[in-house]
Amino acid sequence: MDFLTNLIPAFGNIGFTLVAFVVALSVIVAIHEYGHYIVGRWSGIHADVFSIGFGKVLFSRTDKHGTVWQIAALPFGGYVKFKGDSNASSMPVTNGEEDIAARDTMLGAPLWARSATVAAGPIFNFILSAIVFAGVLLFQGQPVTPLTVSEISSFPPEITQDLQAGDRVLAVEGTVINYPDGFSAAVSGLPSQPSVSYDIERDGVRMTVLGPQPQPAMVQSLTPRSAADDAGLKIGDVVVRMDETPIYQFGDMVDFVDTAGATPIEIEIWRDGETIVDTLTPRLVAIPQPDGNMLDEPKLGIGNGGLFFEPATTHVGFGEAVSLAVQQVWFIIKQSLNGMKQMIIGNINTCNLSGPVGIAETSGSMASQGTLSFISFIAVLSTAVGLLNLFPIPVLDGGHLMFHAYEAVTGKMPSDGALRIFMAIGLALIGTMMLFAIGNDLLFCP
Protein backbone atom coordinates (compact mmCIF):
# COMPACT_ATOMS: atom_id res chain seq x y z
CA MET A 1 0.00 0.00 0.00
CA ASP A 2 1.11 3.58 -0.66
CA PHE A 3 3.04 5.35 2.11
CA LEU A 4 0.68 8.33 2.42
CA THR A 5 -2.51 6.27 2.47
CA ASN A 6 -1.05 4.28 5.37
CA LEU A 7 -1.11 7.46 7.45
CA ILE A 8 -4.87 8.00 7.23
CA PRO A 9 -5.82 5.64 10.09
CA ALA A 10 -3.16 7.20 12.32
CA PHE A 11 -4.28 10.81 11.88
CA GLY A 12 -7.94 10.50 10.92
CA ASN A 13 -9.38 12.19 7.85
CA ILE A 14 -9.39 15.75 9.26
CA GLY A 15 -5.91 15.46 10.71
CA PHE A 16 -4.62 13.83 7.53
CA THR A 17 -6.14 16.62 5.43
CA LEU A 18 -4.58 19.30 7.62
CA VAL A 19 -1.15 17.65 7.55
CA ALA A 20 -1.33 17.25 3.76
CA PHE A 21 -2.31 20.91 3.34
CA VAL A 22 0.50 22.16 5.60
CA VAL A 23 3.07 19.98 3.82
CA ALA A 24 1.92 21.12 0.35
CA LEU A 25 1.80 24.79 1.33
CA SER A 26 5.13 24.69 3.17
CA VAL A 27 6.95 23.15 0.20
CA ILE A 28 5.50 25.68 -2.23
CA VAL A 29 6.14 28.67 0.05
CA ALA A 30 9.68 27.52 0.85
CA ILE A 31 10.56 27.25 -2.84
CA HIS A 32 8.91 30.59 -3.63
CA GLU A 33 10.69 32.45 -0.84
CA TYR A 34 13.98 30.70 -1.54
CA GLY A 35 13.76 32.06 -5.08
CA HIS A 36 13.51 35.58 -3.67
CA TYR A 37 16.31 34.93 -1.20
CA ILE A 38 18.90 33.29 -3.42
CA VAL A 39 18.49 35.65 -6.37
CA GLY A 40 18.56 38.59 -3.96
CA ARG A 41 21.79 37.28 -2.46
CA TRP A 42 23.29 36.73 -5.91
CA SER A 43 22.25 40.31 -6.77
CA GLY A 44 23.93 41.76 -3.70
CA ILE A 45 20.81 42.30 -1.55
CA HIS A 46 21.10 41.10 2.04
CA ALA A 47 18.28 39.10 3.63
CA ASP A 48 17.75 39.64 7.36
CA VAL A 49 15.16 36.87 7.87
CA PHE A 50 13.95 33.80 5.99
CA SER A 51 10.81 32.51 7.68
CA ILE A 52 8.56 29.53 7.09
CA GLY A 53 5.35 30.40 8.91
CA PHE A 54 4.28 33.45 10.90
CA GLY A 55 3.95 34.31 14.58
CA LYS A 56 6.01 32.93 17.43
CA VAL A 57 9.41 31.59 16.36
CA LEU A 58 9.82 27.91 17.21
CA PHE A 59 13.31 27.41 15.81
CA SER A 60 15.94 29.71 14.34
CA ARG A 61 19.58 29.81 13.38
CA THR A 62 21.80 32.46 11.82
CA ASP A 63 23.96 31.49 8.87
CA LYS A 64 27.39 32.84 7.92
CA HIS A 65 25.78 35.52 5.74
CA GLY A 66 23.91 36.96 8.74
CA THR A 67 20.47 35.71 7.65
CA VAL A 68 18.20 34.31 10.35
CA TRP A 69 16.49 31.11 9.18
CA GLN A 70 13.40 30.38 11.24
CA ILE A 71 10.29 28.23 11.56
CA ALA A 72 7.29 29.96 13.13
CA ALA A 73 4.18 28.62 14.84
CA LEU A 74 1.61 29.36 12.12
CA PRO A 75 2.66 27.26 9.10
CA PHE A 76 0.39 28.95 6.58
CA GLY A 77 2.88 30.94 4.53
CA GLY A 78 6.28 32.51 4.90
CA TYR A 79 8.43 35.45 3.89
CA VAL A 80 11.90 36.88 3.31
CA LYS A 81 12.64 40.18 5.01
CA PHE A 82 15.40 41.99 3.16
CA LYS A 83 17.63 44.63 4.69
CA GLY A 84 15.94 48.00 4.63
CA ASP A 85 12.40 46.56 4.64
CA SER A 86 10.06 47.51 7.46
CA ASN A 87 8.00 44.34 6.92
CA ALA A 88 7.62 41.28 4.74
CA SER A 89 5.88 43.31 2.02
CA SER A 90 9.18 45.13 1.28
CA MET A 91 7.94 48.49 2.49
CA PRO A 92 10.99 50.69 3.17
CA VAL A 93 12.13 51.59 6.69
CA THR A 94 11.08 55.14 7.46
CA ASN A 95 12.38 55.64 11.02
CA GLY A 96 15.91 56.45 9.93
CA GLU A 97 17.50 53.61 11.88
CA GLU A 98 18.97 52.02 8.74
CA ASP A 99 20.65 53.35 5.63
CA ILE A 100 17.85 52.34 3.28
CA ALA A 101 19.79 53.58 0.23
CA ALA A 102 22.75 51.25 0.84
CA ARG A 103 23.62 48.92 -2.06
CA ASP A 104 22.81 45.79 -0.05
CA THR A 105 19.23 46.90 0.73
CA MET A 106 16.19 46.25 -1.42
CA LEU A 107 15.58 49.98 -1.86
CA GLY A 108 19.20 50.88 -2.61
CA ALA A 109 19.94 48.06 -5.07
CA PRO A 110 19.86 48.72 -8.83
CA LEU A 111 16.52 48.30 -10.57
CA TRP A 112 17.63 45.14 -12.36
CA ALA A 113 18.60 43.50 -9.05
CA ARG A 114 15.31 44.39 -7.37
CA SER A 115 13.25 43.21 -10.35
CA ALA A 116 15.16 39.94 -10.62
CA THR A 117 14.74 39.30 -6.90
CA VAL A 118 10.99 39.94 -7.00
CA ALA A 119 10.41 37.88 -10.15
CA ALA A 120 12.44 34.95 -8.82
CA GLY A 121 9.72 33.78 -6.42
CA PRO A 122 7.09 32.94 -9.07
CA ILE A 123 9.77 31.69 -11.47
CA PHE A 124 11.01 29.22 -8.83
CA ASN A 125 7.42 28.01 -8.41
CA PHE A 126 7.28 27.27 -12.15
CA ILE A 127 10.69 25.57 -11.98
CA LEU A 128 9.49 23.38 -9.07
CA SER A 129 6.45 22.33 -11.11
CA ALA A 130 8.54 21.49 -14.15
CA ILE A 131 11.00 19.47 -12.05
CA VAL A 132 8.16 17.46 -10.48
CA PHE A 133 6.42 16.81 -13.80
CA ALA A 134 9.70 15.76 -15.39
CA GLY A 135 10.51 13.54 -12.42
CA VAL A 136 7.13 11.81 -12.64
CA LEU A 137 7.68 11.14 -16.34
CA LEU A 138 11.16 9.77 -15.69
CA PHE A 139 9.80 7.59 -12.88
CA GLN A 140 6.77 6.26 -14.74
CA GLY A 141 8.29 5.98 -18.20
CA GLN A 142 6.18 5.68 -21.34
CA PRO A 143 4.32 2.67 -22.76
CA VAL A 144 6.28 0.33 -25.00
CA THR A 145 5.20 -0.38 -28.58
CA PRO A 146 3.27 -2.51 -29.28
CA LEU A 147 1.06 -2.07 -26.21
CA THR A 148 2.06 -4.76 -23.69
CA VAL A 149 0.14 -5.89 -20.59
CA SER A 150 2.04 -5.47 -17.31
CA GLU A 151 -0.49 -5.73 -14.46
CA ILE A 152 -4.22 -6.50 -14.73
CA SER A 153 -7.03 -5.20 -12.51
CA SER A 154 -9.81 -7.42 -11.17
CA PHE A 155 -13.34 -7.28 -12.62
CA PRO A 156 -16.85 -8.55 -11.84
CA PRO A 157 -17.24 -12.26 -12.70
CA GLU A 158 -19.70 -11.58 -15.52
CA ILE A 159 -16.89 -9.88 -17.46
CA THR A 160 -14.63 -12.41 -19.21
CA GLN A 161 -10.95 -11.69 -18.63
CA ASP A 162 -8.47 -13.94 -20.50
CA LEU A 163 -5.58 -11.48 -20.92
CA GLN A 164 -2.31 -12.21 -19.13
CA ALA A 165 0.73 -10.19 -18.12
CA GLY A 166 3.18 -10.06 -21.04
CA ASP A 167 0.51 -10.19 -23.76
CA ARG A 168 1.18 -7.81 -26.67
CA VAL A 169 -2.10 -6.21 -27.76
CA LEU A 170 -2.38 -5.86 -31.54
CA ALA A 171 -6.09 -5.15 -32.09
CA VAL A 172 -9.44 -4.89 -30.28
CA GLU A 173 -12.55 -6.16 -32.08
CA GLY A 174 -10.47 -6.10 -35.27
CA THR A 175 -9.39 -2.46 -34.81
CA VAL A 176 -5.60 -2.04 -34.79
CA ILE A 177 -4.40 -0.34 -31.61
CA ASN A 178 -1.69 2.30 -31.45
CA TYR A 179 -1.18 3.46 -27.87
CA PRO A 180 -1.37 6.20 -26.73
CA ASP A 181 -1.69 8.08 -30.05
CA GLY A 182 -5.18 7.68 -31.45
CA PHE A 183 -6.14 5.10 -28.84
CA SER A 184 -9.32 6.78 -27.59
CA ALA A 185 -10.58 7.36 -31.13
CA ALA A 186 -9.83 3.75 -32.08
CA VAL A 187 -11.87 2.24 -29.23
CA SER A 188 -14.67 4.82 -29.07
CA GLY A 189 -16.80 2.88 -31.56
CA LEU A 190 -16.61 -0.47 -29.78
CA PRO A 191 -19.96 -2.14 -29.00
CA SER A 192 -21.27 -1.56 -25.49
CA GLN A 193 -21.04 -5.09 -24.09
CA PRO A 194 -19.35 -6.76 -21.09
CA SER A 195 -16.38 -8.23 -23.00
CA VAL A 196 -14.66 -7.69 -26.35
CA SER A 197 -12.14 -9.65 -28.41
CA TYR A 198 -8.42 -8.94 -28.31
CA ASP A 199 -5.93 -9.98 -30.98
CA ILE A 200 -2.73 -10.57 -29.05
CA GLU A 201 0.72 -12.10 -29.30
CA ARG A 202 1.62 -14.36 -26.36
CA ASP A 203 5.03 -16.01 -26.21
CA GLY A 204 5.44 -15.52 -29.95
CA VAL A 205 2.02 -17.03 -30.79
CA ARG A 206 -0.84 -14.94 -32.16
CA MET A 207 -4.31 -15.64 -30.78
CA THR A 208 -7.66 -14.07 -29.98
CA VAL A 209 -8.93 -13.87 -26.40
CA LEU A 210 -11.75 -12.08 -24.56
CA GLY A 211 -11.25 -9.24 -22.10
CA PRO A 212 -13.00 -6.21 -20.57
CA GLN A 213 -13.63 -3.03 -22.50
CA PRO A 214 -10.28 -1.24 -23.06
CA GLN A 215 -11.79 1.84 -21.42
CA PRO A 216 -14.10 0.34 -18.78
CA ALA A 217 -16.18 2.32 -16.31
CA MET A 218 -13.41 1.95 -13.76
CA VAL A 219 -12.43 4.61 -11.23
CA GLN A 220 -8.78 5.31 -12.03
CA SER A 221 -8.69 8.75 -10.41
CA LEU A 222 -11.02 10.92 -8.34
CA THR A 223 -11.51 14.65 -8.69
CA PRO A 224 -11.15 16.18 -5.21
CA ARG A 225 -14.39 17.57 -3.71
CA SER A 226 -16.45 15.92 -6.45
CA ALA A 227 -19.62 13.88 -6.00
CA ALA A 228 -17.69 10.63 -6.38
CA ASP A 229 -14.97 11.72 -3.95
CA ASP A 230 -17.46 12.86 -1.31
CA ALA A 231 -19.40 9.59 -1.68
CA GLY A 232 -16.30 7.59 -0.81
CA LEU A 233 -15.66 5.88 -4.15
CA LYS A 234 -12.20 4.34 -4.37
CA ILE A 235 -9.58 3.78 -7.06
CA GLY A 236 -10.34 0.45 -8.76
CA ASP A 237 -14.13 0.58 -8.28
CA VAL A 238 -16.04 -0.59 -11.37
CA VAL A 239 -19.36 1.07 -12.21
CA VAL A 240 -21.79 -1.61 -13.40
CA ARG A 241 -25.14 0.22 -13.39
CA MET A 242 -26.63 3.72 -13.36
CA ASP A 243 -30.31 3.77 -12.39
CA GLU A 244 -31.59 0.82 -14.48
CA THR A 245 -29.00 1.13 -17.28
CA PRO A 246 -26.09 -1.36 -17.47
CA ILE A 247 -22.69 0.34 -17.82
CA TYR A 248 -19.89 -1.47 -19.66
CA GLN A 249 -17.47 1.22 -20.77
CA PHE A 250 -16.42 4.67 -19.63
CA GLY A 251 -18.22 6.29 -22.54
CA ASP A 252 -21.51 4.73 -21.38
CA MET A 253 -21.11 6.47 -18.02
CA VAL A 254 -20.22 9.81 -19.61
CA ASP A 255 -23.23 9.65 -21.95
CA PHE A 256 -25.57 8.77 -19.09
CA VAL A 257 -24.37 11.67 -16.91
CA ASP A 258 -24.58 14.11 -19.84
CA THR A 259 -28.20 13.09 -20.38
CA ALA A 260 -29.19 13.03 -16.70
CA GLY A 261 -27.56 16.37 -15.91
CA ALA A 262 -27.17 17.53 -12.31
CA THR A 263 -29.89 15.20 -10.99
CA PRO A 264 -29.50 12.30 -8.51
CA ILE A 265 -28.32 9.01 -10.06
CA GLU A 266 -28.45 5.63 -8.35
CA ILE A 267 -25.08 4.05 -9.04
CA GLU A 268 -24.02 0.45 -8.48
CA ILE A 269 -20.32 -0.31 -8.20
CA TRP A 270 -18.27 -3.50 -7.84
CA ARG A 271 -15.42 -3.39 -5.35
CA ASP A 272 -13.29 -6.49 -4.74
CA GLY A 273 -16.21 -8.89 -4.95
CA GLU A 274 -18.66 -6.65 -3.12
CA THR A 275 -21.58 -4.78 -4.71
CA ILE A 276 -22.24 -1.27 -3.36
CA VAL A 277 -25.23 0.93 -4.26
CA ASP A 278 -25.25 4.69 -3.64
CA THR A 279 -26.90 7.83 -4.99
CA LEU A 280 -24.70 10.55 -6.47
CA THR A 281 -25.63 13.93 -7.92
CA PRO A 282 -23.30 15.20 -10.68
CA ARG A 283 -21.85 18.68 -10.15
CA LEU A 284 -21.28 21.35 -12.76
CA VAL A 285 -17.62 21.61 -13.75
CA ALA A 286 -15.96 24.06 -16.15
CA ILE A 287 -14.84 22.12 -19.22
CA PRO A 288 -12.70 23.65 -22.03
CA GLN A 289 -14.44 23.71 -25.40
CA PRO A 290 -12.86 23.44 -28.88
CA ASP A 291 -13.39 27.17 -29.47
CA GLY A 292 -11.37 28.07 -26.39
CA ASN A 293 -14.33 28.94 -24.19
CA MET A 294 -15.43 26.97 -21.13
CA LEU A 295 -18.86 25.64 -20.27
CA ASP A 296 -20.26 24.09 -17.12
CA GLU A 297 -20.98 20.39 -17.65
CA PRO A 298 -22.30 17.77 -15.19
CA LYS A 299 -19.55 15.48 -13.88
CA LEU A 300 -19.29 12.84 -11.17
CA GLY A 301 -15.55 13.39 -10.76
CA ILE A 302 -14.51 9.91 -11.90
CA GLY A 303 -11.33 9.92 -13.99
CA ASN A 304 -10.33 7.22 -16.46
CA GLY A 305 -6.74 6.85 -17.62
CA GLY A 306 -7.66 4.89 -20.74
CA LEU A 307 -6.80 1.25 -19.92
CA PHE A 308 -7.98 -1.40 -17.46
CA PHE A 309 -4.43 -2.76 -17.09
CA GLU A 310 -1.04 -1.25 -16.40
CA PRO A 311 0.92 -1.07 -19.65
CA ALA A 312 4.57 -2.09 -19.71
CA THR A 313 6.77 1.01 -19.92
CA THR A 314 10.17 2.03 -21.15
CA HIS A 315 12.56 4.80 -20.17
CA VAL A 316 11.81 8.42 -21.13
CA GLY A 317 14.80 10.53 -22.17
CA PHE A 318 15.76 13.43 -19.90
CA GLY A 319 15.36 16.02 -22.66
CA GLU A 320 11.93 14.74 -23.65
CA ALA A 321 10.79 14.66 -20.01
CA VAL A 322 11.88 18.27 -19.47
CA SER A 323 10.20 19.41 -22.69
CA LEU A 324 6.92 17.71 -21.80
CA ALA A 325 7.10 19.10 -18.25
CA VAL A 326 7.54 22.68 -19.47
CA GLN A 327 4.60 22.18 -21.83
CA GLN A 328 2.51 20.97 -18.90
CA VAL A 329 3.36 24.06 -16.84
CA TRP A 330 2.45 26.31 -19.75
CA PHE A 331 -0.82 24.40 -20.28
CA ILE A 332 -1.80 24.94 -16.62
CA ILE A 333 -1.04 28.66 -16.90
CA LYS A 334 -3.13 29.03 -20.06
CA GLN A 335 -6.04 27.04 -18.65
CA SER A 336 -5.97 29.02 -15.38
CA LEU A 337 -6.07 32.35 -17.19
CA ASN A 338 -8.79 31.12 -19.51
CA GLY A 339 -10.80 29.86 -16.54
CA MET A 340 -10.64 33.27 -14.88
CA LYS A 341 -11.72 34.92 -18.11
CA GLN A 342 -14.66 32.53 -18.47
CA MET A 343 -15.79 33.26 -14.90
CA ILE A 344 -15.63 37.00 -15.53
CA ILE A 345 -17.72 36.81 -18.72
CA GLY A 346 -20.17 34.41 -17.08
CA ASN A 347 -19.63 31.23 -19.12
CA ILE A 348 -18.84 29.22 -15.98
CA ASN A 349 -19.91 29.71 -12.38
CA THR A 350 -17.68 31.13 -9.68
CA CYS A 351 -17.72 27.86 -7.74
CA ASN A 352 -14.67 26.98 -9.81
CA LEU A 353 -12.73 29.37 -7.54
CA SER A 354 -11.60 27.67 -4.33
CA GLY A 355 -10.18 29.20 -1.17
CA PRO A 356 -7.93 27.78 1.55
CA VAL A 357 -10.59 25.37 2.80
CA GLY A 358 -11.10 23.93 -0.67
CA ILE A 359 -7.37 23.71 -1.28
CA ALA A 360 -6.92 21.93 2.06
CA GLU A 361 -9.62 19.41 1.17
CA THR A 362 -8.05 18.88 -2.24
CA SER A 363 -4.65 18.35 -0.60
CA GLY A 364 -6.08 15.64 1.62
CA SER A 365 -7.97 14.01 -1.23
CA MET A 366 -4.92 13.86 -3.50
CA ALA A 367 -2.72 12.57 -0.69
CA SER A 368 -5.27 9.82 0.01
CA GLN A 369 -4.92 8.72 -3.64
CA GLY A 370 -1.21 8.10 -3.19
CA THR A 371 2.18 9.76 -2.94
CA LEU A 372 2.54 10.27 -6.70
CA SER A 373 -0.87 11.96 -6.93
CA PHE A 374 0.00 14.23 -4.01
CA ILE A 375 3.37 15.21 -5.46
CA SER A 376 1.73 15.97 -8.81
CA PHE A 377 -0.87 18.09 -7.02
CA ILE A 378 1.90 20.10 -5.35
CA ALA A 379 3.31 20.78 -8.83
CA VAL A 380 -0.06 22.00 -10.11
CA LEU A 381 -0.62 24.17 -7.03
CA SER A 382 2.91 25.57 -7.29
CA THR A 383 2.17 26.76 -10.83
CA ALA A 384 -1.08 28.35 -9.64
CA VAL A 385 0.71 30.15 -6.78
CA GLY A 386 3.41 31.41 -9.11
CA LEU A 387 0.81 32.70 -11.57
CA LEU A 388 -1.26 34.38 -8.83
CA ASN A 389 1.81 36.19 -7.51
CA LEU A 390 2.46 37.67 -10.94
CA PHE A 391 -0.89 39.45 -11.02
CA PRO A 392 -0.29 43.25 -11.06
CA ILE A 393 -1.83 43.76 -7.63
CA PRO A 394 0.07 45.78 -5.00
CA VAL A 395 1.41 43.56 -2.18
CA LEU A 396 1.90 40.68 -4.65
CA ASP A 397 5.13 40.24 -6.62
CA GLY A 398 3.38 41.40 -9.77
CA GLY A 399 2.50 44.66 -8.02
CA HIS A 400 6.14 45.27 -7.14
CA LEU A 401 7.14 44.53 -10.74
CA MET A 402 4.51 47.05 -11.85
CA PHE A 403 6.17 49.69 -9.64
CA HIS A 404 9.55 48.73 -11.10
CA ALA A 405 8.17 49.16 -14.62
CA TYR A 406 6.96 52.64 -13.64
CA GLU A 407 10.43 53.43 -12.32
CA ALA A 408 12.05 52.15 -15.51
CA VAL A 409 9.87 54.47 -17.61
CA THR A 410 9.89 57.60 -15.42
CA GLY A 411 13.32 57.22 -13.83
CA LYS A 412 11.93 57.50 -10.29
CA MET A 413 10.01 55.36 -7.84
CA PRO A 414 6.42 56.16 -6.80
CA SER A 415 6.26 58.36 -3.73
CA ASP A 416 5.95 56.85 -0.24
CA GLY A 417 2.39 58.17 -0.01
CA ALA A 418 1.40 56.62 -3.34
CA LEU A 419 3.01 53.32 -2.35
CA ARG A 420 1.06 53.19 0.88
CA ILE A 421 -2.21 53.93 -0.89
CA PHE A 422 -1.54 51.27 -3.52
CA MET A 423 -0.56 48.77 -0.81
CA ALA A 424 -3.81 49.45 1.04
CA ILE A 425 -5.76 48.93 -2.18
CA GLY A 426 -3.87 45.71 -2.83
CA LEU A 427 -4.59 44.40 0.65
CA ALA A 428 -8.26 45.24 0.23
CA LEU A 429 -8.40 43.39 -3.12
CA ILE A 430 -6.61 40.33 -1.74
CA GLY A 431 -8.83 40.35 1.35
CA THR A 432 -11.98 40.58 -0.76
CA MET A 433 -10.85 37.74 -3.01
CA MET A 434 -10.01 35.62 0.03
CA LEU A 435 -13.39 36.23 1.66
CA PHE A 436 -15.16 35.41 -1.60
CA ALA A 437 -13.18 32.19 -2.01
CA ILE A 438 -13.82 31.15 1.61
CA GLY A 439 -17.50 31.89 1.06
CA ASN A 440 -17.43 29.54 -1.92
CA ASP A 441 -15.80 26.85 0.22
CA LEU A 442 -18.15 27.09 3.19
CA LEU A 443 -21.43 28.63 2.04
CA PHE A 444 -22.12 28.92 -1.66
CA CYS A 445 -20.38 25.88 -3.17
CA PRO A 446 -20.08 23.21 -0.45
Side-chain angles (χ1 to χ4, degrees):
M1 183 175 288
D2 187 272
F3 169 73
L4 284 180
T5 56
N6 275 327
L7 296 177
I8 297 178
F11 288 98
N13 286 333
I14 295 178
F16 182 77
T17 295
L18 184 59
V19 169
F21 176 55
V22 169
V23 169
L25 187 63
S26 297
V27 169
I28 292 169
V29 168
I31 292 298
H32 180 95
E33 297 303 334
Y34 186 77
H36 289 315
Y37 162 78
I38 194 63
V39 173
R41 202 182 87 187
W42 290 341
S43 302
I45 303 173
H46 176 73
D48 290 331
V49 179
F50 185 107
S51 179
I52 298 298
F54 298 97
K56 182 180 179 180
V57 177
L58 303 178
F59 168 82
S60 68
R61 61 174 291 271
T62 303
D63 66 13
K64 64 180 181 180
H65 302 287
T67 300
V68 177
W69 296 75
Q70 66 184 37
I71 297 176
L74 299 176
F76 302 110
Y79 62 90
V80 175
K81 180 179 178 297
F82 288 103
K83 184 178 179 181
D85 295 343
S86 61
N87 53 47
S89 297
S90 292
M91 289 294 292
V93 170
T94 57
N95 58 13
E97 294 180 1
E98 293 191 55
D99 181 5
I100 61 173
R103 172 60 181 82
D104 62 349
T105 66
M106 178 63 84
L107 192 63
L111 180 60
W112 68 265
R114 286 180 278 136
S115 298
T117 300
V118 170
I123 290 173
F124 268 54
N125 281 133
F126 299 147
I127 292 173
L128 169 64
S129 300
I131 290 174
V132 170
F133 290 139
V136 169
L137 285 169
L138 291 171
F139 175 77
Q140 290 184 320
Q142 60 184 0
V144 300
T145 302
L147 179 62
T148 303
V149 178
S150 176
E151 182 178 341
I152 301 177
S153 304
S154 59
F155 277 87
E158 61 268 23
I159 297 178
T160 304
Q161 204 314 89
D162 295 329
L163 288 168
Q164 298 178 9
D167 288 348
R168 305 174 75 186
V169 179
L170 307 177
V172 181
E173 288 289 315
T175 300
V176 176
I177 296 297
N178 292 310
Y179 186 84
D181 296 333
F183 173 77
S184 294
V187 301
S188 61
L190 294 178
S192 181
Q193 57 193 38
S195 304
V196 293
S197 64
Y198 285 79
D199 296 332
I200 65 168
E201 181 181 305
R202 179 182 296 169
D203 298 327
V205 179
R206 294 199 174 198
M207 62 182 71
T208 299
V209 299
L210 291 178
Q213 291 280 345
Q215 291 182 313
M218 173 183 283
V219 180
Q220 296 185 331
S221 65
L222 287 165
T223 301
R225 307 183 75 211
S226 64
D229 188 31
D230 290 347
L233 268 65
K234 300 181 181 297
I235 306 300
D237 287 349
V238 180
V239 178
V240 298
R241 178 179 60 83
M242 286 183 158
D243 289 340
E244 300 303 320
T245 303
I247 302 295
Y248 299 120
Q249 53 187 340
F250 193 77
D252 295 343
M253 185 170 60
V254 172
D255 292 341
F256 190 96
V257 172
D258 286 344
T259 301
T263 59
I265 300 172
E266 185 178 82
I267 181 172
E268 178 182 325
I269 65 172
W270 182 88
R271 178 186 297 164
D272 296 330
E274 180 184 3
T275 297
I276 301 172
V277 178
D278 202 348
T279 299
L280 281 67
T281 301
R283 297 174 184 173
L284 295 178
V285 178
I287 303 298
Q289 305 299 308
D291 61 1
N293 289 322
M294 288 186 174
L295 293 177
D296 287 329
E297 297 181 2
K299 300 293 179 184
L300 289 176
I302 296 175
N304 184 285
L307 282 171
F308 70 88
F309 59 83
E310 290 290 334
T313 59
T314 186
H315 174 70
V316 177
F318 179 79
E320 181 182 5
V322 171
S323 175
L324 292 173
V326 171
Q327 292 177 42
Q328 180 68 13
V329 171
W330 179 237
F331 174 79
I332 295 171
I333 291 173
K334 290 194 298 182
Q335 288 299 100
S336 299
L337 292 174
N338 189 33
M340 294 187 64
K341 172 187 172 183
Q342 300 301 319
M343 276 191 283
I344 292 172
I345 65 179
N347 279 349
I348 59 177
N349 65 60
T350 55
C351 287
N352 290 282
L353 178 65
S354 292
V357 177
I359 295 172
E361 291 180 349
T362 302
S363 299
S365 177
M366 297 305 292
S368 69
Q369 295 182 41
T371 304
L372 202 59
S373 295
F374 182 58
I375 292 174
S376 298
F377 167 72
I378 289 177
V380 174
L381 186 59
S382 182
T383 298
V385 169
L387 177 61
L388 175 64
N389 271 277
L390 285 177
F391 286 179
I393 299 175
V395 179
L396 298 180
D397 295 329
H400 289 290
L401 291 174
M402 182 175 62
F403 296 147
H404 293 168
Y406 173 85
E407 182 180 350
V409 172
T410 64
K412 61 181 180 180
M413 292 184 291
S415 66
D416 287 347
L419 282 175
R420 296 187 184 281
I421 292 174
F422 284 131
M423 288 294 180
I425 294 173
L427 285 172
L429 287 173
I430 295 298
T432 301
M433 289 173 58
M434 185 66 69
L435 288 174
F436 182 77
I438 292 174
N440 273 356
D441 291 340
L442 301 178
L443 301 174
F444 309 122
C445 312

